[in-house]
């Protein structure tokens, strides 16, 4: 596999920070550098930051988040896998802080729901979930749908840290949390700037459900790659508690906004528009928490999407790994994991009614985004307004301008480049392996 070994593409700034942190890592100075990375230590740090007693999230179980200890077994498994990896000092620092932040967010959500249990009475009616393989246009489509004034999509900073830090001043709270989120995003960009070419992320932009679900589900950047090696175990998880808790996060976010804007009790909340590729493997559990949910599944030729998603998970690995990455093994891991997610999604959809799911081709979204959204609204029996149409066209025009400028800056080439050969994936073998998917979803209308 020597031709497929690749050193992490980390900036000089990342290398300097790593060099400065290495003595602390070697001497194990500070909680971030203790071995092993342990759930108890992470929870203690989160509780200290939240000014709560360690374990208070468990004490509050039943008064707020349901199945509030479900995450313990799953996170212990993920941490066992992560502790088997060789991490740089910077990678260990980022991983431990990222993990602790998930439990800090959990504690703050628990406390806020305890203080305002009436928020759980808010209905979450007919949410729309966008899902599909990573790199199949889920982000672009999600952001298009979020432009509808009748909808609401949770923003990055809201998903990362749903609890208010300044409950008496909603706007000041928004500014504080968004600034903190931007600081973390900028840190990531300074280490692996090519992440922006793969997935643009901003504090006040619509983002993936998995950020909030990560309070329960350990599918976050530091643990996702190791977990992809055990897809059978993951797909056996009963993640219904994760979705019940995520629903409560959405109810809390709705309550926060209603309280700030003094919304009348009889006025309905906007329809949630949500998104994450991770939903692919868990549609059956999603529907238990959201029985009237509408599903939109995006599709793209796997010969294009799989090497593209490999580059995403390569970037995850580069952020943390102290060793060269084996791109062939990464290609095999990604292909195996996401094929199993596709199969599970296909099986789960057999139990849904025809009006509950719509399929969207990536090529259609790219060629005619506004027309694609119009067709989706008709299929899902949603009202398509002139105001929404105006916002869509303006957004698409601006998006095209930015994309053209970015391409020109690269000398006419795409900023994000990838290939199947780079990850040791044999295209003919992959097409044969996924022939069922091509027949059922890619070539069905050809």
């Amino acid at each position: 596999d020597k031709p497929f070994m690749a050193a992490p593409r980390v900036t000089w700034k990342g290398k300097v920070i790593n060099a400065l942190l290495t003595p602390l890592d070697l001497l194990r100075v500070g909680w971030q550098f203790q071995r092993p990375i342990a759930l108890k230590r992470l929870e203690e740090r989160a509780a200290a930051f939240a000014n709560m007693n360690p374990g208070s999230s468990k004490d509050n179980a039943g008064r707020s988040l349901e199945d509030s200890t479900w995450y313990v077994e799953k996170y212990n498994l993920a941490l066992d896998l992560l502790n088997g990896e060789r991490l740089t000092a910077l990678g260990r620092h980022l991983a431990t802080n990222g993990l602790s932040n998930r439990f800090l967010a959990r504690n703050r959500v628990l406390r806020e729901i305890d203080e305002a249990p009436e928020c759980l009475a808010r209905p979450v009616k007919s949410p729309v979930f966008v899902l599909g393989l990573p790199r199949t246009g889920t982000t672009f489509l999600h952001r298009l749908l979020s432009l509808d004034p009748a909808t609401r999509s949770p923003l990055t900073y809201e998903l990362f840290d749903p609890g208010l830090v300044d409950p008496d001043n909603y706007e000041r709270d928004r500014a504080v949390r968004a600034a903190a989120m931007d600081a973390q995003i900028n840190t990531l960009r300074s280490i692996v700037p090519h992440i922006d070419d793969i997935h643009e992320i901003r504090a006040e932009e619509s983002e993936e459900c998995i950020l909030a679900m990560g309070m329960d589900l350990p599918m976050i950047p530091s643990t996702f790659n190791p977990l992809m090696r055990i897809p059978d175990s993951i797909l056996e998880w009963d993640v219904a508690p994760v979705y019940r808790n995520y629903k409560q996060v959405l109810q809390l976010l709705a309550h926060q906004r209603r309280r700030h804007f003094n919304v009348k009790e009889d006025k309905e909340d906007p329809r949630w528009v949500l998104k994450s590729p991770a939903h692919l493997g868990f549609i059956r559990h999603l529907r238990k928490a959201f029985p009237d949910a509408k599903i939109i599944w995006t599709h793209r030729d796997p010969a294009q999407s799989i090497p593209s998603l490999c580059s995403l998970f390569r970037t995850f690995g580069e952020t943390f790994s102290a060793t060269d990455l084996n791109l062939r093994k990464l290609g095999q891991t990604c292909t195996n994991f996401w094929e199993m997610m596709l199969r599970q999604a296909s099986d789960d959809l057999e139990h849904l009614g025809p009006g509950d799911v719509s399929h969207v081709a990536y090529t259609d979204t790219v060629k005619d985004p506004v027309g694609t959204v119009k067709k989706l609204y008709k299929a899902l029996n949603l009202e398509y307004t002139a105001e929404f149409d105006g916002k869509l066209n303006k957004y698409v025009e601006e998006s095209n301008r930015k994309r053209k400028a970015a391409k020109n800056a690269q000398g006419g080439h795409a900023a994000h480049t990838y290939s199947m050969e780079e990850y040791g994936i044999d295209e003919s073998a992959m097409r044969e392996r996924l022939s069922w998917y091509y027949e059922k979803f890619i070539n069905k209308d050809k």
Side-chain angles (χ1 to χ4, degrees):
D1 282 341
K2 189 174 181 180
F4 295 97
M5 301 304 293
R9 299 165 296 174
V10 177
T11 62
W12 67 267
K13 183 175 181 179
K15 292 176 181 177
V16 168
I17 296 173
N18 184 63
L20 293 173
L21 292 175
T22 295
L24 301 179
D25 188 34
L26 292 174
L27 296 172
R28 304 188 182 184
V29 177
W31 69 273
Q32 297 98 329
F33 301 112
Q34 301 303 305
R35 309 302 198 271
I37 300 174
L39 181 60
K40 182 179 179 181
R41 187 180 301 117
L42 295 169
E43 290 190 300
E44 287 174 348
R45 294 302 304 178
F49 279 119
N51 296 317
M52 300 172 74
N53 294 323
S56 60
S57 61
K58 297 181 180 66
D59 296 337
N60 287 336
R63 301 203 338 251
S64 45
L65 289 182
E66 298 183 25
D67 303 291
S68 154
T69 59
W70 181 92
Y71 70 96
V72 173
E73 179 186 351
K74 309 306 182 292
Y75 258 103
N76 277 326
L77 170 62
L79 292 177
D80 283 345
L81 295 171
L82 182 61
N83 283 315
E85 304 287 307
R86 284 187 59 197
L87 306 178
T88 62
L90 175 58
R92 186 174 298 278
H93 185 274
L94 292 173
T96 51
N97 276 285
L99 288 158
S100 180
N101 281 335
R102 293 303 78 229
F103 305 123
L104 171 60
R106 154 181 287 281
N107 284 343
R108 289 166 25 73
V109 167
L110 283 162
R111 182 166 58 190
E112 191 167 339
I113 292 179
D114 276 347
E115 292 171 351
E118 66 274 14
C119 72
L120 302 184
R122 298 303 316 168
V124 179
K125 292 184 178 180
S126 303
V128 174
F129 284 84
V130 179
L131 50 83
L133 283 181
R135 315 301 301 150
T136 59
T138 55
T139 297
F140 184 48
L141 181 59
H142 180 224
R143 291 178 179 174
L144 290 175
L145 297 174
S146 70
L147 296 170
D148 187 348
T151 69
R152 179 182 176 188
S153 293
L155 306 181
T156 305
Y157 81 87
E158 293 178 310
L159 290 164
F160 185 79
D161 189 7
L164 297 176
V165 297
D166 189 346
D168 296 324
N169 190 317
Y170 187 82
E171 291 304 323
R172 187 166 59 203
D173 173 89
R174 178 200 60 77
V176 170
R177 284 193 290 159
M181 188 74 256
D182 269 330
Q184 296 203 38
I185 294 170
N186 289 334
T187 296
L188 181 62
R189 287 190 182 121
S190 72
I191 299 166
V192 283
H194 45 283
I195 188 67
D196 259 351
D197 298 330
I198 304 170
H199 180 72
E200 183 185 44
I201 181 169
R202 296 195 300 273
E204 297 189 75
E205 182 65 271
S206 303
E207 205 28 82
E208 296 193 11
C209 307
I210 199 67
L211 279 180
M213 292 169 63
M215 292 187 293
D216 291 294
L217 191 66
M219 297 175 76
I220 63 176
S222 61
T223 56
F224 210 130
N225 284 25
L227 283 172
M228 283 200 300
R229 299 175 199 143
I230 55 167
D232 293 298
S233 298
I234 291 174
L235 289 173
E236 289 176 357
W237 290 354
D238 179 3
V239 300
V242 177
Y243 283 101
R244 288 197 293 271
N245 289 346
Y246 183 48
K247 180 179 180 179
Q248 292 191 6
V249 168
L250 297 176
Q251 290 171 311
L252 176 61
L253 293 177
H255 171 77
Q256 292 168 350
R257 182 169 292 187
R258 293 179 71 89
R259 178 173 175 266
H260 171 68
F261 291 107
N262 294 316
V263 178
K264 293 183 178 179
E265 185 61 32
D266 60 349
K267 183 175 176 59
E268 290 190 356
D269 295 316
R271 179 178 62 254
W272 286 104
V273 177
L274 310 161
K275 171 255 181 179
S276 180
H279 295 313
L280 270 175
F282 308 117
I283 295 173
R284 61 203 180 282
H285 304 300
L286 182 158
R287 290 278 294 186
K288 289 179 181 179
F290 304 95
D292 58 349
K294 302 294 184 183
I295 306 293
I296 299 175
W297 188 352
T298 60
H299 300 280
R300 184 184 184 188
D301 185 344
Q304 297 172 338
S305 61
I306 286 181
S308 183
L309 70 85
C310 284
S311 71
L312 171 64
F313 290 101
R314 174 183 180 179
T315 304
F316 283 179
E318 290 170 327
T319 307
F320 306 101
S321 180
T323 62
D324 290 353
L325 304 179
N326 187 322
L327 301 188
R328 184 201 290 272
K329 285 187 177 179
L330 179 62
Q332 293 170 345
T333 297
C334 286
T335 302
N336 185 48
F337 178 83
W338 289 103
E339 181 199 2
M340 294 188 70
M341 295 287 272
L342 287 174
R343 286 189 180 277
Q344 187 63 63
S346 180
D347 291 345
D348 286 353
L349 289 188
E350 296 296 329
H351 304 288
L352 271 62
D356 294 331
V357 59
S358 291
H359 298 271
V360 178
Y362 173 82
T363 51
D364 291 340
T365 306
V366 172
K367 291 179 181 177
D368 184 13
V370 176
T372 298
V373 171
K374 285 182 178 179
K375 290 179 182 177
L376 274 174
Y377 265 54
K378 184 176 181 180
L380 297 174
N381 195 29
L382 300 173
E383 182 182 5
Y384 184 89
T385 64
E387 182 182 8
F388 182 29
D389 185 74
K391 288 178 177 290
L392 274 176
N393 280 284
K394 182 178 179 180
Y395 182 89
V396 170
E397 182 180 345
E398 180 66 14
S399 178
N400 289 338
R401 185 191 65 77
K402 289 181 179 179
R403 189 175 292 109
K404 184 177 180 181
K407 192 172 183 179
N408 289 339
Q410 295 288 328
H413 303 288
H416 181 212
T417 58
Y418 46 85
S419 69
M420 301 195 80
E421 294 77 15
E422 184 178 10
Y423 295 95
I425 302 172
D426 181 88
E427 182 171 346
S428 60
M430 187 277 295
R431 288 184 179 276
E432 176 63 26
R433 178 176 182 173
L434 292 175
S435 59
W436 67 272
Y437 177 75
Y438 278 96
E439 181 179 350
K440 190 170 184 178
F441 298 111
I442 301 296
N443 301 326
K444 63 183 180 66
D445 296 324
K446 294 182 180 180

